[in-house]
Amino acid sequence: IELIFKEEYPEYILEKLGEVGVLLVIDSSLRYQENICEEYRKARSLNNTATQLPSLYLCLLIYPFGGQALKRFTHRLNIPLKLARAFKDTIKLRDELCVLADSSIKNSDLYYLLYKYNQLAIRTNAIASSSNVIRDNIELFENELRYIKTSISGDDLRDINIPAGPAIGNILKIVHRAKLDGEVGSKSEELQLVKSLKLAD
């Protein structure tokens, strides 16, 4: 399997293995799918490094799997822990993609849905999805939203007499959401939002 995904066009080898029944011997849920050619072409066009591409190919291969099939396949091929986690994230995110089909989803909701997922899983879902809206939302996250951070820190909050503890994390998350949604921009605007939250309390 590792050698197949180091080939220039592994999809052609998978097609042959599907024809002679080898894929089913590896796992009963493993099938060659016609759309894999287009998905692998997209994967190559994304300028992934040579080390990432085999893992991306594998994530696309297991994309149709259910939970039990994924566990069986991961055990059967003795998949390394890091890649196994990417597999799990790929399937979990696939099952949540309907949320990303909303073109009016707020940037903050988009970010907090995707940020917890493995980058490989996010990329796999962007390639495998047939929805332009979903792909656009994932692209927005990858190219812009994941880089947006607050200008203020916990130290800034303590400087204005907000005690250490869970409140600081909650406030920073509120400010981060506001920044993602374009409601605040500068550090002074962020601090003003914090002060308004304190007044509201």
Side-chain angles (χ1 to χ4, degrees):
I1 291 293
E2 288 177 350
L3 291 174
I4 287 171
F5 289 118
K6 290 179 181 177
E7 293 289 331
E8 187 174 4
Y9 300 107
E11 57 268 35
Y12 301 138
I13 302 173
L14 291 176
E15 183 177 14
K16 292 299 181 184
L17 293 179
E19 288 175 359
V20 299
V22 172
L23 294 182
L24 286 175
V25 173
I26 296 172
D27 189 273
S28 59
S29 295
L30 200 56
R31 303 281 192 282
Y32 173 77
Q33 299 171 63
E34 294 295 332
N35 61 335
I36 207 78
C37 284
E38 177 63 17
E39 290 175 356
Y40 281 15
R41 185 194 65 77
K42 287 180 183 177
R44 289 189 289 270
S45 73
L46 293 174
N47 297 319
N48 291 282
T49 66
T51 54
Q52 282 184 315
L53 204 48
S55 296
L56 186 54
Y57 285 149
L58 262 171
C59 284
L60 288 164
L61 184 67
I62 59 90
Y63 194 75
F65 279 14
Q68 287 302 117
L70 182 61
K71 287 180 182 178
R72 187 175 62 240
F73 181 83
T74 300
H75 178 73
R76 174 86 163 85
L77 272 68
N78 195 26
I79 299 295
L81 184 59
K82 185 176 180 180
L83 184 56
R85 287 174 178 163
F87 282 179
K88 289 180 181 178
D89 272 7
T90 295
I91 302 307
K92 187 176 179 183
L93 178 55
R94 179 199 67 191
D95 294 340
E96 287 193 274
L97 276 188
C98 58
V99 179
L100 298 184
D102 180 2
S103 59
S104 63
I105 187 173
K106 295 174 68 174
N107 285 353
S108 57
D109 291 336
L110 175 58
Y111 174 89
Y112 279 97
L113 172 67
L114 291 177
Y115 87 100
K116 59 184 180 289
Y117 285 109
N118 178 283
Q119 189 68 23
L120 196 57
I122 294 172
R123 184 62 54 86
T124 301
N125 276 274
I127 293 171
S129 174
S130 60
S131 166
N132 288 331
V133 174
I134 289 174
R135 288 198 298 270
D136 288 347
N137 278 329
I138 291 177
E139 185 176 339
L140 175 62
F141 169 81
E142 286 196 306
N143 296 337
E144 297 181 35
L145 300 185
R146 66 182 174 135
Y147 300 110
I148 295 176
K149 310 296 180 187
T150 59
S151 299
I152 61 172
S153 65
D155 289 339
D156 294 308
L157 299 187
R158 284 187 285 272
D159 287 344
I160 57 175
N161 300 318
I162 295 177
I168 285 184
N170 293 336
I171 291 173
L172 287 174
K173 185 173 182 179
I174 291 171
V175 175
H176 186 224
R177 278 185 167 273
K179 191 156 190 175
L180 287 164
D181 293 332
E183 296 169 1
V184 295
S186 65
K187 184 173 182 177
S188 61
E189 289 176 341
E190 292 178 14
L191 286 171
Q192 191 60 43
L193 174 58
V194 172
K195 290 172 183 175
S196 72
L197 293 173
K198 284 183 67 181
L199 289 173
D201 290 340

